[in-house]
Structures are given as C-alpha cells and as structure tokens.
Amino acid sequence: MLNGKKSLFSGMQATGTLHLGNYLGALKNWVELEDDYETFYCVVDLHSITVRQDPAELRRKARALLTLYIAAGLNPEKNCIYYQSHVPAHAELNWILNCFTYMGELSRMTQYKDKASKNEDNINAGLFTYPVLMAADILLFQSDIVPVGDDQKQHIEITRDIAQRFNSVYGEVFTIPEPYIKRTGARIMSLQEPTKKMSKSDDNENASIFLLDNTDTIIRKFKRAVTDSGSEIIHSNDKPGISNLIEIYGIATGKSIDETMKEFEGKGYGEFKIAVGESVASMLKPIQDKYEELSKDKTYIDGVIKSNAEKASYFANKTLRKVQKKIGFPEKIK
Ligand code: TYM
C-alpha cells in the first residue's frame, strides 16, 4: 500500500529484444491494472549488467524498452515508468537486504543456476545476489502484487521470505507481496523447442517472436514452428508445440482453448499456423505503429523519463528512510 492505495512493481531487463513471452506473460497484463493500483514499471538496467553489456547498446535498448512500455498501452500519466539506475534507493536498499539474505537460499535459485551455467566465464557476485535487488525493487514500493510470468515466481517467494524476516525483527516495515500470474500466457514456449520457455538469450531467431518483427517474419516463424506428431489441433500435455500455439492464438483473439479447438476441428497444422501468425501480427501492429511514432518524439520521452524518475524516487525514498531509521543508521543533520 502507498498513500492508502494498493501498489505494484514490475520490471523487465533491457537486454535482448522483447519477445512474445514478455508481452503475453507480463506487459499485456500490466495495462489493465492502472486503475486499481499505484503502479511502478521499471527498466531494470542495474540487473542487466550481471551479464556483460556493450554500453551504447545497453543505452539504446533501455530507451527502446521504456518506449515500448508506453507503446504497449501504459499511460505514463497513470503509471510510473522509469530507469532503475535513475533511482539510487534501489541500490541502497539492495545492500541492506543483502544482510538479511542467506547464501543457501540464493544458491537454490533456478535462474541463477541456469544463468551461471550459460556464463561460466563470468559468474559474478551480482548474478548471485540478483534476487536481492529484485526484492529491493518490489519492497521499496510496498507492493501488494507483482505481475510477472511464471519464471519469476521463485524470486517473488524469496522476496516474501526476506520481507518477513526483516519485519519479524523491526515490525511491520514492508508489505508482503503476492505474485500476480495469469493462468494463460504465463509461460510461452520456444517455437523451435516447445519444452523450453521462449527466452531472450536463445540464439535461434526462429524460436522467438520479437515485438518489433514485421508481419511476414511473424507468419514465417509460425509456419516453421516445431509441432508434434499427429495432425489435430488439440491442447494436451503430450503436445507441447501445438498447445503453445493454441494458447498464443487464444490470447491474441480472445478465444478460449475450447473455442479454438472447435474452430480448427478437422483442419491441419498448416492452416492453423498461418491463422496464429496473422492473429499475432494484427495484435502487435498497433504497438509497432505507436512505437515508431513515439521513438521520433524525443522531447516527450525525455519528459517521461525525468518526471517519472522523480515520482519513483519520492516513494522509494520514503520506504528507504523508514528502513534506515529502523536499522539504526544515524539521522542526517539538516
Ligand atoms: P525478464 O526481463 O526476463 O522478463 C520480463 C517479464 O517477462 C516474463 N517472461 C515470460 N512470460 C511468459 N513466457 C515467457 N517465455 C517469458 N519470458 C519472460 C517474465 O516472467 C517477466 O515478468 N528479473 C526480472 C526483471 C525484474 C523484476 C523485478 C520483475 C527485476 N526486478 C521486480 C518483477 C519484479 C527479469 O529478468 O525479467
């Protein structure tokens, strides 16, 4: 809760290009929360440097991501959209929470194990303590919910543990957040290996639909999507490829799984894949057009960056000051 209103925080990394999983698992759901919550959506550039980044590319991608947030429908008058690096309170609370987090619990994080195995030459301490910075992000804004895809669930759980541990020593300082994960779209799978999630770090371009892919590319990628043996359009656990496409089609068209299976009864994979491609392309087209338009408006985007960082800092600093006082740090002399 913030100022008597429920609040929420979520964020995305500015590495790679946003894909359909990021959109359907998170961003698309964010748009419908703005009336009921005080919302904070961050471009988490501090998290991004746990893997080496080219400075110019990082800057470009961070701005593109922030612009995409707005293009996807987040109104910056109602939602606080900002860069994590512009609000130092994230890093300050991160340090404090580090001292309330155990090595053992961090070493159990599946994302850490996964990333460490992919970056063997750079298993840095930031990669290890990554979830603590996430906890700082979420707790700074006294978030009631955290809208994310399924892969972030474990990180919300450790955030809850850290918050409860802190509260048990110092009283009710932090709101204990709940994950907000939709039933469909929470785990969009790779188009090439449908037992793996769609991921920014996948080297195979055909495995992911990127938000800025054009219509032809989108349809081509769906046509090439790996599907299962058989030919029927059926959603089931032993058909991960076609089930993934049914789920994507359902969200893009607003149809349920049953409606989709009925619509394509007796039809083949080929026809269905084209229909999925077309539905996704028309869902993304307005976002792409808006992105083009916004990217040209430097003054507008700069204005959002400045004013929203100030708003985020205001709320973040309130929590940080409370924490510092509870811990026993000396007050500043004014
Ligand atoms: P990131 O950038 O990897 O992903 C951003 C969001 O997209 C969701 N997502 C998916 N959803 C469905 N299917 C997929 N294949 C898929 N891939 C990704 C993620 O669950 C996420 O919601 N650590 C976070 C960023 C972060 C954060 C936070 C999130 C930093 N601080 C605090 C929430 C709260 C990350 O790397 O997300």
Side-chain angles (χ1 to χ4, degrees), residues 9-15 18-27 30 44 47 84 111 115 130 133-135 137-138 146-152 155-156 185-190 197-200:
F9 178 95
S10 200
M12 291 197 188
Q13 290 213 50
T15 36
L18 232 58
H19 58 64
L20 195 60
N22 300 130
Y23 180 62
L24 299 182
L27 186 50
W30 295 357
V44 295
H47 281 102
Q84 195 181 24
Q111 194 159 311
K115 286 198 176 170
Y130 182 111
L133 180 57
M134 267 187 73
D137 298 341
I138 295 166
V146 187
V148 283
D150 190 60
D151 63 343
Q152 296 300 319
H155 289 158
I156 317 291
R187 197 169 180 84
I188 298 296
M189 309 310 275
S190 152
K197 67 169 183 172
M198 192 177 282
S199 160
K200 281 181 203 148

Side-chain angles (χ1 to χ4, degrees), residues 24 72 95 106 186 204 208 218 245 284 302 306 332:
L24 299 182
W95 172 254
L106 287 175
N204 184 347
S208 310
I218 294 172
L245 298 190
L284 297 182
D302 284 351
K306 185 167 186 292
K332 282 186 187 151

